[in-house]
Amino acid sequence: MKHVHTIVIGGGPAGLAAAISAHKQGVSVLLIERESKLGGILKQCIHDGFGLDRFKERLTGPEYAKRFIDELDALSIDVLLSTTVLHIAKEKEGYCLDVVNADGVARYSCKSLVLSTGCRERTSRQVFIHGQRPSGVYTAGSAQYFMNILGMLPTRRCVILGSGDIGLIMARRLSLEGAQVLGVYEAKPTPSGLTRNLLQCLEDYNIPLHLSHTVIKVYGDSRLEGVEISKVDENMHPIPGTSFRVDCDALILSVGLIPENELAESLSISLDPKTKGPFVNQYFMTEKEGCFICGNALHVNDLVDHVSYCATKAGAYAAQYENKKHYDQPVQVEGNFGYFIPQRIRYPLGEDPIACYFRVNREMKKAKFSLIVNDQIIYTKVFHHVKPPEMEFLELKQDLFKGAKTISVKMEELL
């Protein structure tokens, strides 16, 4: 058995940042990645717009990833590629991992663990689309892989279901390559993607967006021939008598992302039903001592810059981890929140500002965030024009939580 201080699982943008950050704390680090190359989803994101926060530059996905890969190489951090984690066991002094690759099965132990396993896309079966299983039904990420990695155009005439960011970006990408995007259909009454992508990917290319519509059926046996679309009510249920057929050769799904947390669940770590990621404290540590999580495995982020920021902190905390006497205070959530992270505050408090991430549950032109400790409002901040697709971020001083017997956060609309 080989021992290292910190093991990072997942070599995407979160794992790269976490491994580098942990190494800079002076501990031994091992990064494990199941694919043959580092970078995660960034390898196929050839559009620019990455790195504006972190590097103050407009980078493509591969360029952004390369900045971290080059630093990882310069620091001589150990990496296992094409390696799958078979099993993780919690032990008294840390964790034991069984992994497999072309060299066979190996066992590693570590004091702290960082999960940076990213997320996956929902499929047609997860959104209950009826019909056969013809070729031509792709997730947006799969279509992106065909185009940007394999150099293949998967469609000439397509419909996109869902207005998530990757679907919007693929609408533009397909149009640039000569495919006809007949329309983007969204079941919700409001778009799911960032405003900048709605403008740059749909409006600039005259691609229609149809809200409160969804695909209820696909036609075709061996190859997709068309889809049936229906209007939906306020509960997103199809309205009888409103359906119509659109002939196309591909249906591209951008219907949400799900954090990949099978490894966390194998450790019996509880997941927040709102984020689909584990409950964490301000150090990004899960309920299992010494197990940290970051990036899209914790919650789905809008920007890779936010992923790197969170992962840099998680990696440093994992490297500094000591199993000392402590207790956690839960954070109660009130008002118009979709979710709020962290869900717990650990005592004794530290010195670093607490990174808080949240989404609202509905669009509001003006809203007030309040931190309430021991039934007293001790911090407020006003946000202008908040909406569910756009994650909000703020930092709170740990001193604000001193002597807390109860902690709650509240988001309320200001009229």
Side-chain angles (χ1 to χ4, degrees), residues 111-132:
K111 183 174 183 179
S112 61
L113 182 68
V114 181
L115 302 177
S116 53
T117 47
C119 57
R120 64 178 180 269
E121 296 176 277
R122 284 190 173 90
T123 67
S124 61
R125 298 298 164 177
Q126 289 174 297
V127 292
F128 308 109
I129 296 176
H130 299 286
Q132 300 299 315

Side-chain angles (χ1 to χ4, degrees), residues 48-321:
D48 68 5
F50 299 94
L52 290 172
D53 287 348
R54 191 175 184 95
F55 298 115
K56 311 304 178 187
E57 296 181 53
R58 296 178 64 91
L59 303 174
T60 65
E63 287 173 332
Y64 186 93
K66 191 174 187 301
R67 297 283 179 97
F68 289 89
I69 294 170
D70 288 347
E71 186 174 4
L72 190 87
D73 291 341
L75 295 172
S76 299
I77 296 173
D78 290 335
V79 178
L80 290 177
L81 296 175
S82 302
T83 300
T84 298
V85 176
L86 298 174
H87 180 256
I88 305 176
K90 179 74 174 75
E91 299 186 332
K92 184 176 181 181
E93 299 299 326
Y95 293 86
C96 180
L97 289 76
D98 293 324
V99 305
V100 63
N101 55 29
D103 296 326
V105 177
R107 177 166 290 180
Y108 291 85
S109 65
C110 62
K111 183 174 183 179
S112 61
L113 182 68
V114 181
L115 302 177
S116 53
T117 47
C119 57
R120 64 178 180 269
E121 296 176 277
R122 284 190 173 90
T123 67
S124 61
R125 298 298 164 177
Q126 289 174 297
V127 292
F128 308 109
I129 296 176
H130 299 286
Q132 300 299 315
R133 304 186 67 169
S135 62
V137 179
Y138 308 97
T139 63
S142 296
Q144 187 181 62
Y145 179 81
F146 272 105
M147 296 188 68
N148 297 346
I149 301 297
L150 301 181
M152 301 172 63
L153 184 64
T155 176
R156 292 290 182 182
R157 181 180 169 88
C158 70
V159 163
I160 296 179
L161 176 62
S163 59
D165 289 309
I166 189 171
L168 301 178
I169 289 166
M170 283 308 298
R172 176 179 62 186
R173 183 81 175 94
L174 288 161
S175 297
L176 288 170
E177 292 299 330
Q180 184 180 5
V181 180
L182 301 173
V184 175
Y185 294 86
E186 169 61 57
K188 297 177 183 178
T190 57
S192 298
L194 295 172
T195 301
R196 74 179 190 189
N197 286 331
L198 291 167
L199 296 174
Q200 296 173 5
C201 300
L202 296 189
E203 290 192 18
D204 288 355
Y205 291 85
N206 297 315
I207 299 172
L209 171 63
H210 305 276
L211 300 174
S212 298
H213 284 76
T214 192
V215 174
I216 59 174
K217 187 176 182 180
V218 296
Y219 296 99
D221 293 321
S222 60
R223 177 74 193 192
L224 185 73
E225 298 173 358
V227 297
E228 186 173 342
I229 296 171
S230 173
K231 289 183 179 180
V232 297
D233 59 23
E234 62 274 9
N235 297 315
M236 290 189 288
H237 296 149
I239 300 173
T242 64
S243 63
F244 56 94
R245 174 170 170 156
V246 175
D247 292 330
C248 57
D249 65 3
L251 170 64
I252 296 175
L253 304 172
S254 179
V255 289
L257 302 169
I258 304 172
E260 287 214 38
N261 279 307
E262 285 76 14
L263 290 178
E265 290 183 287
S266 74
L267 288 167
S268 300
I269 294 174
S270 302
L271 303 184
D272 185 335
K274 294 182 178 179
T275 64
K276 305 298 188 293
F279 295 94
V280 295
N281 59 30
Q282 71 268 39
Y283 304 113
F284 301 102
M285 188 164 71
T286 69
E287 63 188 16
K288 291 292 183 181
E289 282 293 313
C291 181
F292 298 76
I293 190 163
C294 57
N296 285 346
L298 174 58
H299 68 120
V300 177
N301 290 256
D302 300 336
L303 304 175
V304 70
D305 305 75
H306 291 153
V307 167
S308 299
Y309 177 84
C310 162
T312 297
K313 283 186 167 290
Y317 293 141
Q320 299 164 2
Y321 170 70

Side-chain angles (χ1 to χ4, degrees), residues 6 18-29 74-78 315-316 319:
T6 301
I20 291 169
S21 179
H23 176 87
K24 288 181 177 179
Q25 298 298 314
V27 302
S28 57
V29 177
L75 295 172
S76 299
I77 296 173
D78 290 335

